[in-house]
Amino acid sequence: MNNLPEISVIVPVYKVEEYLPQCIDSILAQTFTDFELLLVDDGSPDCCGEICEEYAGKDMRIRVFHQANAGLSCARNTGLMNARGRYVTFIDSDDYVSEDYIEYMYNLLKQNNTKMSTCETQVVNIEKETEMETQFVENIEILTKRDLFYKILFAQKSDVSAYSKLYETELFKDIRYPKGVVYEDTATTYKLIEKCDKIATGNKKCYFYCTRPDSISKMKGFNKNELDYIKNTDEMLAYIKEKYPDLKEAVNRFDLYANFRILRLLLFTNPRDKKR
């Protein structure tokens, strides 16, 4: 009898004690229940470690890992090294998900026999009231990797974020998030997509991305981390351009956007460093 969970949910945790309970509660409320929740405490200096342990004492599906602070990539990699599920998904610890987040993407993946599926993201400003959509017309697409790259490059409701996606764990067999950098999903997600013959995409907004002033990836202004964005973007675009030469226009568009993004930050903010 196989007692292993079908899905591993990996949540890197760092300095989010105010938001962590909402994140964990949204995961434990899932309609799909055959999962394990891996909380990776990345040396958080606040009460996050204690919160993780408290939740683990209440639900046997939760496993907690404590490590010295090493960054988001290392926290995700720790989760991957300990994941027992056939499939894996990532959730940031200051975000939350709908109760059918797992079930929605799992059904997309299984019904269409793919190794990867995606849902859409709703941006939530925690300092303002968020206006939600009142109507929803479902649109499911089964895309080739080439077509998904096209949508990503033209920002057509697809991106390279690690979250809002369900992956077959085997895809990570020889792939890990790069250590010591940010924008690590830019350096990684395209490699996972390339391993898939097709990807099931759905437009239901099941992932809620919360913007807050003190977030690493959500902070405003230029800092040295933006250099990782340029480096990782250049590597991704070089690969896509060589492998899919017909996407040259889309690659050039994304390249132009990325450079203008950095230029705008340089022009309108004072350079500063910010360590995690």
Side-chain angles (χ1 to χ4, degrees):
M1 183 175 180
N2 183 12
N3 294 319
L4 297 178
E6 184 74 351
I7 293 173
S8 296
V9 181
I10 298 174
V11 179
V13 178
Y14 183 80
K15 224 173 170 183
V16 288
E17 61 181 11
E18 182 179 350
Y19 314 100
L20 184 57
Q22 181 182 31
C23 175
I24 297 176
D25 287 339
S26 72
I27 297 169
L28 297 181
Q30 292 297 296
T31 53
F32 186 98
T33 59
D34 186 13
F35 67 87
E36 64 173 352
L37 172 55
L38 284 66
L39 300 173
V40 184
D41 169 24
D42 188 37
S44 188
D46 56 11
C47 294
C48 282
E50 290 86 344
I51 294 172
C52 290
E53 292 293 350
E54 181 180 349
Y55 271 96
K58 298 176 182 178
D59 196 310
M60 294 181 63
R61 294 175 296 179
I62 299 177
R63 292 194 291 151
V64 180
F65 301 88
H66 301 282
Q67 63 183 36
N69 179 241
L72 181 57
S73 287
C74 288
R76 284 183 178 152
N77 291 340
T78 295
L80 287 169
M81 286 187 292
N82 291 279
R84 301 177 298 186
R86 182 179 178 187
Y87 304 98
V88 62
T89 187
F90 299 97
I91 299 173
D92 285 354
S93 52
D94 54 350
D95 297 333
Y96 61 95
V97 294
S98 66
E99 64 179 12
D100 61 344
Y101 171 76
I102 295 177
E103 182 176 20
Y104 182 70
M105 291 193 294
Y106 183 75
N107 287 340
L108 280 175
L109 187 150
K110 298 297 284 187
Q111 291 171 6
N112 296 286
N113 192 31
T114 66
K115 296 180 179 180
M116 181 176 171
S117 61
T118 74
C119 66
E120 282 194 18
T121 298
Q122 171 71 51
V123 177
V124 179
N125 188 326
I126 63 174
E127 297 179 331
K128 299 178 182 179
E129 187 173 330
T130 301
E131 183 177 343
M132 304 295 290
E133 293 183 357
T134 56
Q135 291 184 326
F136 170 69
V137 178
E138 188 168 45
N139 179 36
I140 295 174
E141 295 183 286
I142 312 304
L143 302 173
T144 64
K145 49 195 171 186
R146 180 265 179 207
D147 290 341
L148 181 55
F149 283 139
Y150 179 89
K151 285 182 173 290
I152 289 172
L153 294 172
F154 275 108
Q156 295 181 354
K157 297 186 177 181
S158 296
D159 58 38
V160 293
S161 59
Y163 53 76
S164 72
K165 298 170 179 64
L166 182 65
Y167 314 84
E168 188 174 278
T169 308
E170 185 69 14
L171 292 175
F172 286 93
K173 184 177 181 180
D174 57 352
I175 292 178
R176 287 294 184 268
Y177 290 94
K179 299 178 182 179
V181 301
V182 295
Y183 298 104
E184 69 292 328
D185 25 20
T186 302
T188 307
T189 302
Y190 78 93
K191 298 175 183 177
L192 299 168
I193 294 172
E194 185 60 33
K195 286 189 170 188
C196 303
D197 294 327
K198 55 185 179 178
I199 301 94
T201 67
N203 65 327
K204 189 170 185 179
K205 293 184 177 180
C206 299
Y207 190 95
F208 297 90
Y209 176 97
C210 300
T211 61
R212 58 185 179 86
D214 57 338
S215 171
I216 308 166
S217 61
K218 303 161 192 176
M219 60 190 176
K220 299 177 181 179
F222 182 86
N223 59 79
K224 69 177 182 179
N225 292 336
E226 302 303 331
L227 300 179
D228 290 336
Y229 175 72
I230 291 296
K231 176 179 179 295
N232 294 340
T233 297
D234 285 348
E235 289 179 358
M236 177 185 73
L237 294 180
Y239 175 85
I240 294 175
K241 189 173 182 179
E242 180 179 357
K243 190 70 182 288
Y244 305 96
D246 64 310
L247 293 181
K248 180 180 178 180
E249 180 183 351
V251 167
N252 291 339
R253 179 264 173 203
F254 196 93
D255 188 35
L256 186 64
Y257 161 80
N259 283 280
F260 268 115
R261 175 182 177 276
I262 298 302
L263 179 60
R264 181 180 181 277
L265 290 175
L266 285 169
L267 288 174
F268 294 102
T269 62
N270 294 321
R272 67 183 187 274
D273 290 344
K274 187 177 180 69
K275 294 182 179 179
R276 178 171 177 172

